[in-house]
Amino acid sequence: MTYTSTKFCNNIVCTLILLMFVTLPVANTKPATFLQDFHITWSDSHIKQLDGGRAIQLTLDQNSGCGFASKNKYLFGRVSMKIKLIPDDSAGTVTAFYMNSNTDQIRDELDFEFLGNRSGQPYTVQTNVFANGKGDREQRVNLWFDPAADFHTYSILWNHQHVVFYVDETPIRVYKNNEAKGIPFPKAQPMGVYSTLWEADDWATRGGLEKIDWNKAPFYAYYKDFDIEGCIIPGPATCTSNPSNWWEGVTYQHLDSVAARRYKWVRVNHMVYDYCTDRNRNPVIPPECLAGI
Ligand SMILES: *[C@@H]1O[C@H](CO)[C@@H](O)[C@H](O)[C@H]1NC(C)=O
């Protein structure tokens, strides 16, 4: 079926608009309201919708933390949201944003965890990658801005070539598909999108030395601009292997030179922990650490 030469649609703008609808991938229009993409999984009373459902406030107090999850699971795509983290003294709190296949034994999981800190001390972002049931791949970077002063975009790009964790436009982590070298890569199991805010003062801040100060509670984090684009599973079987999905495009298959420079800048200036160089934990360097990006 072509639309180009009919009276129905005979100019380029009209054709483009039509094509947009006809080829609309199995994905959401963006940004979505919270309830379009998500539902609350933990403590309704601690998640408040704002701005007509386009933003939410998460609360942590002595009674409870809270959490939410996507209604769908996805196989490849990009998930992003804007988050404003707990201001001032957030020590002992953890705000997490992650994808998880929820398959117990052989789970795939991609984690962003924001570890709070005492006032004036830097927030730490911990990332982890589970592929085929194996995790223990933590890396930590200290943020180069105050993530509680304003909203910033946190996103996970996931395609056949790699997984990239972004803070705004800056890649902070790349996990490459090195299956050719026998290294597992998450590609067979769809993952849901999750977020939680909870108390973890036994480990989160300075290894558990800094405790949560409940005098400062309730603690609030804010989310908005929910954007999930990807292949919904179950859905059309052809979606995940469709090379015209934008997230599989050439420009998304590797970091361009600007992104590569930013990534290097983060690693040199802001990385505070890397499992790859932790010889106590890993006397033998994990293979993916040597395989390069
Ligand atoms: C908190 O601040 C301390 C002191 O600057 C720093 O060493 C640590 O990496 C920061 N983050 C966490 C999660 O402890």
Side-chain angles (χ1 to χ4, degrees):
M1 196 171 174
T2 71
Y3 299 97
T4 43
S5 61
T6 62
K7 276 187 233 121
F8 172 56
C9 186
N10 60 2
N11 67 54
I12 185 76
V13 174
C14 171
T15 306
L16 284 175
I17 289 170
L18 252 178
L19 278 174
M20 270 171 56
F21 282 100
V22 171
T23 61
L24 200 69
V26 189
N28 298 301
T29 51
K30 55 171 184 170
T33 62
F34 174 66
L35 287 180
Q36 272 175 283
D37 283 352
F38 298 99
H39 60 100
I40 296 171
T41 50
W42 179 24
S43 194
D44 258 313
S45 61
H46 286 68
I47 298 188
K48 188 162 100 188
Q49 293 186 58
L50 307 169
D51 190 21
R54 282 185 291 274
I56 54 167
Q57 178 195 59
L58 271 64
T59 302
L60 167 65
D61 58 25
Q62 255 175 306
N63 295 320
S64 186
C66 57
F68 62 89
S70 60
K71 294 175 179 171
N72 293 308
K73 282 189 164 187
Y74 303 84
L75 189 51
F76 302 114
R78 189 195 59 189
V79 180
S80 82
M81 48 188 91
K82 289 202 169 91
I83 306 175
K84 198 166 130 182
L85 293 164
I86 297 166
D88 305 322
D89 189 342
S90 57
T93 70
V94 175
T95 310
F97 160 39
Y98 60 104
M99 301 188 73
N100 190 341
S101 64
N102 263 341
T103 40
D104 290 341
Q105 296 302 317
I106 46 159
R107 91 168 177 274
D108 292 330
E109 185 177 320
L110 308 169
D111 296 323
F112 261 118
E113 288 181 309
F114 304 94
L115 314 181
N117 220 334
R118 298 257 95 99
S119 303
Q121 307 294 325
Y123 247 97
T124 299
V125 182
Q126 171 165 296
T127 57
N128 199 359
V129 173
F130 284 72
N132 225 1
K134 166 88 171 58
D136 298 328
R137 297 192 174 96
E138 293 88 354
Q139 292 184 349
R140 290 181 174 192
V141 301
N142 281 341
L143 288 173
W144 50 96
F145 54 85
D146 176 3
D150 213 338
F151 283 96
H152 288 266
T153 304
Y154 302 92
S155 48
I156 301 173
L157 171 78
W158 174 27
N159 62 33
H160 285 77
Q161 310 303 320
H162 57 189
V163 172
V164 186
F165 294 78
Y166 287 93
V167 172
D168 296 320
E169 301 304 309
T170 303
I172 62 159
R173 175 138 195 202
V174 178
Y175 185 84
K176 197 176 177 227
N177 184 339
N178 275 310
E179 284 188 301
K181 296 176 183 165
I183 295 158
F185 184 78
K187 64 147 201 234
Q189 311 191 83
M191 293 195 252
V193 181
Y194 301 85
S195 180
T196 44
L197 168 59
W198 84 99
E199 174 214 342
D201 73 0
D202 53 330
W203 63 273
T205 308
R206 290 214 303 128
L209 292 175
E210 304 285 347
K211 297 301 177 191
I212 201 162
D213 181 356
W214 289 114
N215 292 320
K216 308 279 166 54
F219 301 100
Y220 299 116
Y222 297 87
Y223 290 58
K224 67 176 185 179
D225 292 4
F226 305 98
D227 182 15
I228 309 179
E229 297 176 67
C231 292
I232 294 173
I233 306 292
T238 50
C239 182
T240 55
S241 56
N242 184 352
S244 62
N245 289 327
W246 69 259
W247 51 88
E248 302 285 356
V250 180
T251 52
Y252 296 95
Q253 291 177 12
H254 50 81
L255 302 185
D256 65 22
S257 58
V258 174
R261 218 176 306 135
R262 285 183 172 160
Y263 182 48
K264 193 172 168 200
W265 174 81
V266 167
R267 295 182 66 88
V268 169
N269 296 292
H270 295 284
M271 190 153 205
V272 291
Y273 177 80
D274 184 2
Y275 77 107
C276 286
T277 56
D278 186 340
R279 285 295 150 271
N280 292 325
R281 256 176 96 195
N282 297 306
V284 176
I285 300 174
E288 67 275 14
C289 300
L290 299 167
I293 62 157

